[in-house]
Amino acid sequence: MSESLEKNHERSILTQPGVYTKTNQAYARLEESIHLALQSYSNVHRGSGHFSLVTTHLYEKAREIVLEYMELNKTEYLVLFLSPQRAETFIRSFHSWSYKKLTSKEFGLPIGIVALAIEKKNLSKGIATDVGGGTTKLTSRKWVIWADAPDRFEAGTPAIINVIAFAKALLLIKEYGSQVFMEKANNFSLNEILDKDNFHGLKGKELMRALQNTLIGRQTLVPTLFGEQPFINLDNSASTQTFEPVWDTFRTILHQNLNKSRNLLDEVRNSCASFLGASLKDYDIIFTSNTTESVNLVANNYTKEQLTEPVVISSMLEHSSNDLPWRFIPGVQILRLNVDNNGFFDLNQLRDLLRTYNKEHQFGNKRIKLIALSGASNVLGTCNNLKTISEISKEFGVRLLIDAAQLVAHRKIDFQQYSPDFMVFSAHKVYAPFGCGVLVVKKGILSEHEKEEVNRSGEENIAGIAALGTSLKLMNRIGMDTISEEENDITKKAISGLSSIRGIKIYGLTEPDKIEFSSKLGVIPFSLGNKISHKVAKELAFYGGIGVRSGCHCAHLIVKKLVGMTPFFENFQWAIQKLFPSVRFPGVVRISLGIGTTEEEIDSLVRTLKTLSGKSRSHQNLKTVNEEFKDFIKKIEINVYS
């Protein structure tokens, strides 16, 4: 066991009276496994770095553990991990299916997980009830190719760490009994849960430096062609790692007596409101499972309005989570704003569309009722002018939804300026990767019944909500201006270094001296010569221990525009994907920065890319490294689930 794990293990036991009880032993082992999973955490399925491969493996292994617990045959059944609300919707929609259900709540774990075991013969016929990130393999403006099960039914980033924790808990329940996690020894105050850390009095850059040293996984060694190296995470747009104080909040809630959970939830709502500059007199803050679920909730509500030929304005820039839900509302037309190669919306087009549809009535009974746009691009890092967009929406009496998933961790958000009708984001983008999403909605738009149903579901994940509360408080103490200034400096350094590499092409804003550059986050997409993006990403992991993301990043429309894909090739792409599902198509490599990113890590990235762009690099040991990758993954699986 590493020194950090020993300290974590000791701390978990010391919080519990009666250290030798089986309950305390079970909690200590559960915490140790979760902390181990956090040390190699990333988003699942679409990454090629060490952490993404490990996390994907642990997540998929959790399905097997659930089936073993239920004593079901994995050749006949498949497990879906859903939020309580999604599980209810799923069961109602497909009530004839044979299924079995387990929930974290029935075992006393406040992490909001429902595991549904469904017969595969029935699941293959299903259509996703919620759509968004991860539910498709490929999209164009006119068609989608759905992902295979189970991805098709787990819209958006799942509660990965919570799922791993649930699977580990089932193994412990087999050993200690089904009541082992029902006993709750802690009865801490709200202040002790949300504000207790070792950085009392620190703020600004001083606090940021202190937090960087507590980033879980920062010093995890991974195998590379040149031996073991500390993993470099440059995939923060996909998901962020967490800090020890945020993890401490999560683990504290596992033990906490939750008789006063309402006070805790209200306190986190206050933290969200303070962080966003939103008034709780004007807005409801609803906890969901992720951004995708939040957008789907708004879209489902949209269908209930008695509108004549409603129209939604989206854009070519959107992530699937803010694109697909609008496509599948019966009778709704989507108009997409054009986007230039830097990622800026055509706001003149926005005004023209609103004028012709809503004032001049040039299209009969069709009326634009909603503008749904991203606050920042997950591909180009561009922040569009939300203040102007908000002013335009109000001028024409149209509701505005801001997808702030990529914005909240990087820029100060001021509801007084934007005053949107809806804003959505996920905690896993804000250093709290424990399965919590947020929907901020103007009061009176959603019915009390709808709010109640979703709140009941989201609030089962009290541990994840509390972790978000701690993370937002820490970021408020640092100051978003401090965070964005440091990120801007490292972004400039990264672009300068990347620009020096032979054969590289950087997409989007690349000139720091131009005024538009202030609208760019630390997200940099690029290609390297004629290499397919997935190969570059894999080689970055092999050669430098660097985790990035590659492909279309669930934002297929803008990536296809950037790489110059023609309509003919797009249709050809559909045919090829149907015939040969494993074929990889053109995409881009993306690096994305976070609070933990250092200048030294950027130097390592540039050195590794220069090696990859040269002709003299070695291939002879790649097979050996690939085997070491597999051993690395297997070792972590054994440590987490043993």
Side-chain angles (χ1 to χ4, degrees), residues 175 177 218 238 367 450 606:
E175 185 175 345
R218 187 182 185 91
R367 299 289 183 272
E450 286 163 329
V606 172

Side-chain angles (χ1 to χ4, degrees), residues 18-29 172-173 175-181 183:
V19 67
Y20 295 108
T21 68
K22 66 179 184 180
T23 291
N24 289 326
Q25 291 172 7
Y27 272 119
R29 290 174 63 187
L172 294 169
I173 285 165
E175 185 175 345
Y176 292 106
S178 61
Q179 300 298 305
V180 69
F181 296 113
E183 183 181 330

Side-chain angles (χ1 to χ4, degrees), residues 222-384:
V222 297
T224 74
L225 188 65
F226 306 107
E228 287 191 333
Q229 298 184 38
F231 182 74
I232 296 174
N233 177 38
L234 294 177
D235 194 18
N236 291 278
S237 285
S239 195
T240 50
Q241 296 163 279
T242 194
F243 304 105
E244 287 287 355
V246 180
W247 155 238
D248 280 343
T249 295
F250 182 84
R251 53 175 284 278
T252 297
I253 293 295
L254 295 180
H255 303 272
Q256 179 74 359
N257 186 322
L258 294 172
N259 292 336
K260 298 179 180 178
S261 61
R262 177 55 50 195
N263 294 337
L264 174 63
L265 294 167
D266 287 344
E267 180 62 23
V268 178
R269 284 192 172 89
N270 287 331
S271 295
C272 285
S274 173
F275 184 80
L276 299 169
S279 168
L280 290 175
K281 293 180 181 179
D282 301 321
Y283 288 92
D284 290 314
I285 293 178
I286 298 170
F287 297 117
T288 63
S289 61
N290 54 31
T291 300
T292 302
E293 186 172 64
S294 297
V295 177
N296 274 278
L297 172 62
V298 178
N300 292 338
N301 178 71
Y302 192 83
T303 65
K304 297 171 186 175
E305 295 188 15
Q306 301 301 311
L307 304 174
T308 303
E309 299 186 73
V311 179
V312 172
I313 288 183
S314 183
S315 83
M316 294 287 291
L317 196 69
E318 303 309 309
H319 187 282
S320 294
S321 294
N322 193 35
D323 176 25
L324 296 177
W326 310 113
R327 296 194 191 201
F328 294 94
I329 303 175
V332 172
Q333 180 183 352
I334 295 181
L335 302 173
R336 290 190 177 86
L337 294 182
N338 293 326
V339 179
D340 66 22
N341 286 336
N342 289 327
F344 289 110
F345 301 140
D346 185 341
L347 297 186
N348 289 327
Q349 181 194 15
L350 176 61
R351 283 186 178 279
D352 289 344
L353 288 171
L354 288 165
R355 186 183 67 254
T356 55
Y357 275 82
N358 289 19
K359 285 203 169 180
E360 298 174 359
H361 303 166
Q362 292 185 21
F363 297 91
N365 290 328
K366 292 182 179 180
R367 299 289 183 272
I368 296 167
K369 294 294 180 178
L370 179 73
I371 301 168
L373 299 173
S374 58
S377 166
N378 73 311
V379 175
L380 291 163
T382 310
C383 301
N384 271 279

Side-chain angles (χ1 to χ4, degrees), residues 14 70 90 142 155 177 190 262 291 296 391 420 424 457 546 559 594:
L14 290 176
M70 292 180 170
F90 195 91
K142 298 180 180 179
L190 291 180
R262 177 55 50 195
T291 300
N296 274 278
E391 291 169 351
V424 296
S457 170
I546 301 169
V559 171

